[in-house]
Amino acid sequence: MTAPLPPLALSLQFARLADAPLHRAALPRHHVIRTLRHALGQDVQHGEFAVRIVDAEEGQTLNRDYRNKDYATNVLTFDYSGAPMVMADLVLCAPVVAREAAELGKPLAEHYTHLLVHGALHAQGWDHETGEADAEAMEAEEIRILAGLGIANPYADR
């Protein structure tokens, strides 16, 4: 028997985007909550996330100001507390996510799901930039969570 999923509070925000309806359709609130709850580890009792979908300008500004990388990236994680109460902001850059989904030949909603899982794992201390073993462990956890959500291995085509 699996443990029940932890409760989750969510603030879902969309910046002013030219193609906002496309991104809103790919991220229905119930889907974002389900995805994030599945991404929380067994030691998490409660999660609080703000998920903000931004344009390229805001994405680039945040990445530059907080990571010293002057370009818009797909997802940024700002974590504030770990288990048992995970609190984090996830910022996803709509044009980057849309471009990547198209390049990968994947539905936009599926790519958003992958990035939500990826960001939620970062919020819990997972880090793929600290070494090959850590990157492999994080990818394996993403694959496991996504499989539970009915999504195929996003790394299979590499």
Side-chain angles (χ1 to χ4, degrees):
M1 182 170 164
T2 60
L5 296 174
L8 185 116
L10 173 67
S11 172
L12 182 56
Q13 307 165 8
F14 291 85
R16 289 195 173 104
L17 304 168
D19 54 355
L22 173 73
H23 296 277
R24 286 183 183 276
L27 288 163
R29 183 178 179 78
H30 70 277
H31 176 77
V32 175
I33 290 172
R34 178 176 180 257
T35 298
L36 293 173
R37 288 181 73 204
H38 275 83
L40 293 174
Q42 292 182 338
D43 57 341
V44 175
Q45 296 173 8
H46 184 79
E48 286 188 18
F49 286 88
V51 174
R52 181 163 171 80
I53 311 306
V54 302
D55 61 15
E57 182 181 349
E58 186 174 347
Q60 181 174 354
T61 298
L62 290 168
N63 201 28
R64 182 190 63 234
D65 292 354
Y66 290 95
R67 296 181 66 227
N68 296 315
K69 297 183 179 186
D70 196 16
Y71 57 89
T73 189
N74 52 19
V75 61
L76 292 167
T77 301
F78 300 92
D79 58 320
Y80 307 111
S81 71
M85 168 79 144
V86 173
M87 295 172 53
D89 294 340
L90 303 180
V91 178
L92 294 103
C93 185
V96 173
V97 176
R99 179 182 38 104
E100 289 176 348
E103 289 170 356
L104 294 166
K106 299 196 184 258
L108 183 60
E110 184 176 306
H111 194 48
Y112 267 123
T113 300
H114 177 199
L115 294 172
L116 287 167
V117 168
H118 185 87
L121 289 178
H122 274 305
Q124 297 170 82
W126 294 81
D127 193 344
H128 55 87
E129 295 181 352
T130 52
E132 187 66 31
D134 290 339
E136 289 175 7
M138 186 170 175
E139 283 184 11
E141 185 65 4
E142 287 176 21
I143 292 165
R144 184 192 69 75
I145 293 165
L146 290 168
L149 293 166
I151 295 177
N153 177 353
Y155 302 106
D157 295 334
R158 281 191 297 181

